Amino acid sequence: MDRSYIPDATLGRLPRYYRFFCDLKEKKVSKISSTQLAEMLGTTPSQVRQDFSALGSFGQQGYGYNVAQMCHDLGQIIGVDNHYRAIIIGTGNLGRSVLSGIQFYNHGFRLIGIFDRKESLIGQVLKGMPIRHIDGLDEFCRENFPQMAILCTPPSEAIRLYDQLISLGVKAFWNFSGGEIPRRPGAVVNDINLNDSLTSLCYKMNIK
Amino acid sequence: MDRSYIPDATLGRLPRYYRFFCDLKEKKVSKISSTQLAEMLGTTPSQVRQDFSALGSFGQQGYGYNVAQMCHDLGQIIGVDNHYRAIIIGTGNLGRSVLSGIQFYNHGFRLIGIFDRKESLIGQVLKGMPIRHIDGLDEFCRENFPQMAILCTPPSEAIRLYDQLISLGVKAFWNFSGGEIPRRPGAVVNDINLNDSLTSLCYKMNIK
C-alpha cells in the first residue's frame, strides 16, 4: 500500500491501536466492532473507521474487525518483524528500567549489546548478556552492526555518543538523556524528555 | 492574558522553549535573537516569533529576547511557582530513575511522599524521605492533600490506584505504568508509554 497517504495524526495513533489489538488477541477476543473499540479508546467510532481505512484495514459490515488479522496487519505496517539490532548505553536506574520494562522483540527490536563506562559494572549480566565497557563500542559496532541505540547517559555524553554512533552506521536513536541531540540527515530520533512532560503537566494543572 | 487564544501546537512547544531559556539563563546568556534561537531549536525564526507572540512575549527589534525575562514569563504561564504537592507510588528501577533524574521543584512540583507495597523497602530513605507503605495512602492523603501522583506500578495496580486517588482529591497523574487509565472529568493525565514510543521508532525505521 502507498503509505504516503496516511495522515500524520493517524500514524500518531498507530502504536496505541497496535497495542490494543495485541492486548485483545492475548485476551482471546476474536472480533470487535468500531463502536466497542472507540469506547475502549475514548474516541468516536467514525474516527476509528477513518483511521483504519487510511491504514488500509477495513472491518466487515455487521461483523467488525478481526482482532488477529488487525494485530498482524498493523504489525506489518509498523515493521515489527524486522527485529532491528539495538544496543543500550547506560545501565543506571533509567537504563535498567528500560531493560526490565520493555519487551524489545514484540516491538520490532532485538537487544544485542549493553554498555556502560563504570568499571565496577563491566561483566555484570543483565537480560542474559554482559555489560560491556564503552571503550569497546567502536569495535562492537564494526562487528555487529547495531541499527538503533538507546541513550540512557547524561545529556553531554549522549550528544557525543550520537555523532560517534552515526559514524558507525547507527540509524535510529531512542534518547532518554534529556539532552537535545541535533537532527542529522538519515537519522531517526525519538526523545523521551521527562522534564518536558512534567512541565506540561504543571501547565495543565495551572490552567484548570 | 487570555490563554484561550494560544494554539495547541504552540502550547506543545512551550515546555521545550522554557527548558531552552532556563538553560541559556544558567549559561549566563542575557539575550538571544529569534534567528539564533530558531537555529538552536531546529525551526524557523518566523515560527519562534509567532509562538512567542501568541504567548504574549515579544522580542525587541534589533535586540532580541531578554533571556531572564523570557524564563520568568514562560515560567509564569506554566505555573512553575505553584509547587504542586506530588507523591510517587512504586520505587522499582522506574520509580527510582524518576526520583533521581527529575528536579521536581524546578518544574512546578514538590515531592511530599514516596510509597511502595514491598515490605522490605518500607522505611528506606530516598530523596531525604522514608518509603511509606501503600496501606497508609488514604490516611496520608487525608492529612497532606497531594495534588499529583506519579504512577510507577504495574498497569493493573495503576488503574486501581487512579480511582482511589481521585476519590482522595488527587487531580493530576503522571502515568508511567504503561496501562491505559480512563479519563475522568476534572482529572489531568500525562502518559509516558515507552512501548508505544518504541513501536513508533520501529515504524519510522521501517518506512525509511
Coordinates of all heavy atoms in Angstrom, one line a residue, chain A residues 107-156:
Chain A
H107 N 8.3 -5.4 19.9 CA 8.1 -4.0 19.4 C 9.1 -3.8 18.2 O 9.4 -2.6 17.9 CB 8.3 -3.0 20.5 CG 7.2 -3.1 21.5 ND1 7.2 -3.9 22.6 CD2 5.9 -2.5 21.5 CE1 6.1 -3.9 23.2 NE2 5.3 -3.0 22.6
G108 N 9.6 -4.8 17.6 CA 10.4 -4.7 16.4 C 11.9 -4.6 16.6 O 12.6 -4.3 15.6
F109 N 12.4 -4.9 17.8 CA 13.8 -4.8 18.1 C 14.4 -6.1 18.7 O 13.7 -6.9 19.3 CB 14.1 -3.6 18.9 CG 13.8 -2.3 18.3 CD1 12.5 -1.7 18.4 CD2 14.7 -1.7 17.5 CE1 12.2 -0.6 17.7 CE2 14.4 -0.5 16.8 CZ 13.2 0.1 16.9
R110 N 15.7 -6.2 18.7 CA 16.4 -7.3 19.3 C 17.6 -6.7 20.0 O 18.4 -6.0 19.3 CB 16.9 -8.3 18.2 CG 17.4 -9.6 18.7 CD 17.4 -10.6 17.6 NE 18.0 -10.1 16.4 CZ 19.3 -10.3 16.1 NH1 20.1 -10.9 16.9 NH2 19.8 -9.8 14.9
L111 N 17.7 -6.9 21.3 CA 18.8 -6.3 22.0 C 20.1 -7.1 21.8 O 20.1 -8.3 22.0 CB 18.5 -6.2 23.5 CG 19.4 -5.3 24.4 CD1 19.2 -3.9 24.1 CD2 19.2 -5.7 25.8
I112 N 21.2 -6.4 21.3 CA 22.4 -7.2 21.1 C 23.6 -6.7 21.9 O 24.6 -7.4 21.9 CB 22.8 -7.2 19.6 CG1 23.1 -5.8 19.1 CG2 21.7 -7.8 18.7 CD1 23.8 -5.7 17.8
G113 N 23.5 -5.6 22.6 CA 24.6 -5.2 23.4 C 24.2 -4.2 24.5 O 23.3 -3.4 24.3
I114 N 24.9 -4.2 25.6 CA 24.7 -3.3 26.8 C 26.0 -2.7 27.2 O 27.0 -3.4 27.4 CB 24.1 -4.1 28.0 CG1 22.8 -4.8 27.6 CG2 23.8 -3.2 29.2 CD1 22.2 -5.7 28.7
F115 N 26.0 -1.4 27.3 CA 27.3 -0.7 27.5 C 27.2 0.2 28.7 O 26.1 0.8 29.0 CB 27.7 0.1 26.3 CG 28.1 -0.8 25.1 CD1 27.1 -1.2 24.3 CD2 29.4 -1.1 24.9 CE1 27.4 -2.0 23.2 CE2 29.7 -1.9 23.8 CZ 28.7 -2.4 23.0
D116 N 28.3 0.4 29.4 CA 28.4 1.4 30.5 C 29.9 1.8 30.6 O 30.7 1.2 29.9 CB 27.9 0.8 31.8 CG 27.4 1.9 32.7 OD1 28.3 2.8 33.1 OD2 26.3 1.9 33.1
R117 N 30.2 2.9 31.3 CA 31.6 3.2 31.5 C 32.1 3.0 32.9 O 33.3 3.1 33.1 CB 31.8 4.7 31.0 CG 31.3 5.8 31.9 CD 32.0 7.1 31.5 NE 31.8 7.5 30.1 CZ 32.7 7.3 29.1 NH1 33.9 6.8 29.4 NH2 32.5 7.7 27.9
K118 N 31.2 2.6 33.8 CA 31.6 2.3 35.1 C 32.3 1.0 35.3 O 31.6 -0.1 35.1 CB 30.3 2.4 36.0 CG 30.6 2.9 37.4 CD 29.3 3.1 38.2 CE 29.6 3.4 39.6 NZ 28.3 3.5 40.4
E119 N 33.6 1.0 35.6 CA 34.4 -0.2 35.7 C 33.7 -1.3 36.5 O 33.7 -2.5 36.1 CB 35.8 0.1 36.3 CG 36.6 1.0 35.4 CD 37.1 0.4 34.1 OE1 37.0 -0.8 34.0 OE2 37.7 1.2 33.3
S120 N 33.1 -0.9 37.6 CA 32.6 -1.9 38.6 C 31.4 -2.7 38.0 O 31.0 -3.7 38.5 CB 32.2 -1.3 39.9 OG 31.2 -0.3 39.6
L121 N 30.8 -2.1 36.9 CA 29.6 -2.8 36.4 C 29.9 -3.7 35.2 O 29.1 -4.6 34.8 CB 28.6 -1.7 35.8 CG 28.0 -0.8 36.9 CD1 27.2 0.3 36.2 CD2 27.1 -1.6 37.8
I122 N 31.1 -3.6 34.7 CA 31.5 -4.4 33.5 C 31.5 -5.9 33.8 O 32.1 -6.3 34.8 CB 32.9 -3.9 32.9 CG1 33.0 -2.4 32.8 CG2 33.2 -4.6 31.6 CD1 31.9 -1.7 32.0
G123 N 30.9 -6.6 32.9 CA 30.8 -8.0 33.1 C 29.5 -8.5 33.8 O 29.1 -9.7 33.7
Q124 N 28.9 -7.6 34.6 CA 27.7 -7.9 35.2 C 26.6 -8.3 34.2 O 26.7 -7.8 33.1 CB 27.2 -6.7 36.0 CG 26.0 -7.0 37.0 CD 25.5 -5.7 37.7 OE1 26.3 -4.9 38.1 NE2 24.2 -5.5 37.8
V125 N 25.8 -9.3 34.5 CA 24.9 -9.8 33.4 C 23.5 -9.3 33.6 O 22.9 -9.3 34.7 CB 24.8 -11.4 33.4 CG1 23.8 -11.9 32.5 CG2 26.2 -11.9 33.1
L126 N 23.0 -8.6 32.5 CA 21.6 -8.1 32.5 C 20.9 -8.7 31.3 O 21.5 -8.7 30.2 CB 21.6 -6.6 32.4 CG 22.1 -5.8 33.6 CD1 22.1 -4.3 33.2 CD2 21.3 -6.0 34.8
K127 N 19.7 -9.2 31.4 CA 19.0 -9.7 30.3 C 19.8 -10.8 29.6 O 19.8 -10.9 28.3 CB 18.6 -8.6 29.3 CG 17.6 -7.7 29.8 CD 16.2 -8.2 29.5 CE 15.1 -7.2 29.7 NZ 13.8 -7.7 29.3
G128 N 20.6 -11.6 30.3 CA 21.3 -12.7 29.8 C 22.6 -12.2 29.0 O 23.2 -13.1 28.3
M129 N 23.0 -11.0 29.1 CA 24.2 -10.6 28.4 C 25.1 -9.7 29.3 O 24.5 -9.0 30.2 CB 23.9 -10.0 27.0 CG 23.2 -8.7 27.0 SD 22.8 -8.3 25.2 CE 21.3 -9.2 25.0
P130 N 26.4 -9.7 29.1 CA 27.3 -9.0 30.0 C 27.3 -7.5 29.6 O 27.1 -7.1 28.5 CB 28.7 -9.6 29.6 CG 28.5 -10.0 28.2 CD 27.1 -10.4 28.0
I131 N 27.4 -6.7 30.6 CA 27.6 -5.2 30.4 C 29.0 -5.1 29.9 O 30.0 -5.6 30.4 CB 27.5 -4.4 31.7 CG1 26.0 -4.6 32.3 CG2 27.7 -2.9 31.4 CD1 25.8 -3.9 33.6
R132 N 29.2 -4.4 28.7 CA 30.5 -4.2 28.1 C 31.0 -2.8 28.4 O 30.1 -1.8 28.6 CB 30.4 -4.3 26.6 CG 30.0 -5.7 26.1 CD 29.5 -5.6 24.7 NE 28.8 -6.9 24.3 CZ 29.5 -7.9 23.8 NH1 30.8 -7.9 23.6 NH2 28.8 -9.1 23.6
H133 N 32.3 -2.6 28.3 CA 32.8 -1.2 28.5 C 32.6 -0.4 27.3 O 32.8 -0.9 26.1 CB 34.3 -1.3 28.9 CG 34.8 0.0 29.5 ND1 35.0 1.1 28.7 CD2 35.0 0.3 30.8 CE1 35.4 2.1 29.5 NE2 35.4 1.7 30.8
I134 N 32.3 0.8 27.5 CA 32.0 1.8 26.4 C 33.2 1.9 25.5 O 33.1 2.2 24.3 CB 31.6 3.2 27.0 CG1 31.0 4.1 25.9 CG2 32.7 3.8 27.8 CD1 29.6 3.8 25.6
D135 N 34.4 1.7 26.0 CA 35.6 1.8 25.2 C 35.6 0.8 24.0 O 36.3 1.0 23.0 CB 36.9 1.6 26.0 CG 37.2 2.8 26.9 OD1 36.5 3.9 26.7 OD2 38.1 2.8 27.7
G136 N 34.8 -0.3 24.2 CA 34.8 -1.3 23.1 C 33.6 -1.1 22.1 O 33.4 -1.9 21.3
L137 N 33.0 0.1 22.2 CA 31.8 0.4 21.4 C 32.1 0.4 19.9 O 31.4 -0.3 19.1 CB 31.2 1.8 21.8 CG 29.9 2.2 21.1 CD1 28.8 1.2 21.5 CD2 29.5 3.6 21.6
D138 N 33.2 1.0 19.5 CA 33.6 1.1 18.0 C 33.7 -0.3 17.5 O 33.2 -0.7 16.4 CB 34.9 1.9 17.8 CG 34.6 3.4 17.9 OD1 33.8 3.8 18.7 OD2 35.3 4.1 17.2
E139 N 34.5 -1.1 18.2 CA 34.8 -2.5 17.7 C 33.5 -3.3 17.6 O 33.3 -4.0 16.6 CB 35.8 -3.1 18.6 CG 36.5 -4.3 18.0 CD 37.3 -5.1 19.0 OE1 37.8 -4.5 20.1 OE2 37.6 -6.3 18.8
F140 N 32.7 -3.2 18.7 CA 31.5 -3.9 18.7 C 30.6 -3.5 17.5 O 30.0 -4.4 16.9 CB 30.7 -3.6 20.0 CG 29.4 -4.4 20.1 CD1 29.4 -5.6 20.7 CD2 28.2 -3.8 19.7 CE1 28.2 -6.3 20.8 CE2 27.0 -4.5 19.8 CZ 27.0 -5.8 20.4
C141 N 30.5 -2.2 17.2 CA 29.6 -1.8 16.1 C 30.2 -2.3 14.8 O 29.4 -2.6 13.9 CB 29.5 -0.3 16.1 SG 28.6 0.4 17.5
R142 N 31.5 -2.3 14.6 CA 32.0 -2.7 13.3 C 31.8 -4.2 13.1 O 31.8 -4.7 12.0 CB 33.5 -2.3 13.3 CG 33.7 -0.9 12.9 CD 35.1 -0.6 12.4 NE 36.0 -0.5 13.6 CZ 36.3 0.7 14.2 NH1 35.9 1.8 13.8 NH2 37.1 0.7 15.3
E143 N 31.7 -4.9 14.2 CA 31.4 -6.4 14.1 C 30.0 -6.8 14.0 O 29.6 -7.8 13.5 CB 32.1 -7.1 15.2 CG 33.6 -7.2 15.0 CD 34.4 -7.8 16.2 OE1 33.7 -8.2 17.2 OE2 35.6 -7.7 16.2
N144 N 29.1 -6.0 14.7 CA 27.7 -6.4 14.9 C 26.7 -5.5 14.3 O 25.5 -5.9 14.4 CB 27.5 -6.6 16.4 CG 28.3 -7.6 17.1 OD1 28.1 -8.8 16.9 ND2 29.4 -7.2 17.8
F145 N 27.1 -4.4 13.8 CA 26.2 -3.5 13.0 C 24.8 -3.2 13.7 O 23.8 -3.5 13.2 CB 25.9 -4.1 11.7 CG 27.1 -4.6 10.9 CD1 27.4 -5.9 10.8 CD2 27.9 -3.6 10.3 CE1 28.5 -6.4 10.2 CE2 29.1 -4.1 9.7 CZ 29.4 -5.4 9.6
P146 N 24.9 -2.6 14.9 CA 23.6 -2.2 15.5 C 23.0 -1.1 14.7 O 23.6 -0.3 14.1 CB 24.0 -1.7 16.9 CG 25.5 -1.3 16.8 CD 26.0 -2.3 15.8
Q147 N 21.6 -1.2 14.7 CA 20.9 -0.2 13.9 C 20.2 0.9 14.7 O 19.9 1.9 14.2 CB 19.8 -0.9 13.1 CG 20.4 -1.9 12.0 CD 19.4 -3.1 11.7 OE1 19.1 -3.9 12.6 NE2 18.9 -3.1 10.5
M148 N 20.0 0.6 16.0 CA 19.4 1.5 16.9 C 20.1 1.6 18.2 O 20.6 0.5 18.7 CB 17.9 1.1 17.1 CG 17.0 2.1 17.8 SD 17.1 2.0 19.6 CE 15.8 0.9 20.0
A149 N 20.2 2.8 18.8 CA 20.9 2.9 20.1 C 20.0 3.6 21.1 O 19.3 4.6 20.8 CB 22.2 3.7 20.0
I150 N 19.9 3.0 22.3 CA 19.1 3.6 23.4 C 20.1 4.4 24.3 O 21.0 3.8 24.9 CB 18.4 2.5 24.2 CG1 17.6 1.6 23.3 CG2 17.5 3.1 25.2 CD1 17.2 0.3 23.9
L151 N 19.9 5.7 24.4 CA 20.8 6.5 25.1 C 20.3 6.9 26.5 O 19.4 7.6 26.7 CB 21.1 7.8 24.3 CG 21.5 7.7 22.9 CD1 21.6 9.0 22.2 CD2 22.9 7.0 22.8
C152 N 20.9 6.2 27.5 CA 20.5 6.4 28.9 C 21.6 7.0 29.7 O 21.9 6.6 30.8 CB 20.0 5.1 29.5 SG 18.5 4.4 28.7
T153 N 22.3 7.9 29.1 CA 23.5 8.5 29.7 C 23.2 10.0 30.1 O 22.1 10.5 29.7 CB 24.7 8.6 28.7 OG1 24.3 9.5 27.7 CG2 25.0 7.2 28.2
P154 N 24.1 10.7 30.8 CA 23.8 12.1 31.0 C 23.8 12.8 29.6 O 24.4 12.3 28.6 CB 25.1 12.6 31.8 CG 25.5 11.4 32.5 CD 25.2 10.2 31.5
P155 N 23.2 14.0 29.5 CA 23.0 14.7 28.2 C 24.3 14.9 27.4 O 24.3 14.6 26.2 CB 22.4 16.0 28.6 CG 21.8 15.9 30.0 CD 22.5 14.7 30.6
S156 N 25.3 15.4 28.1 CA 26.5 15.8 27.3 C 27.1 14.5 26.7 O 27.6 14.6 25.6 CB 27.5 16.4 28.3 OG 27.8 15.6 29.3

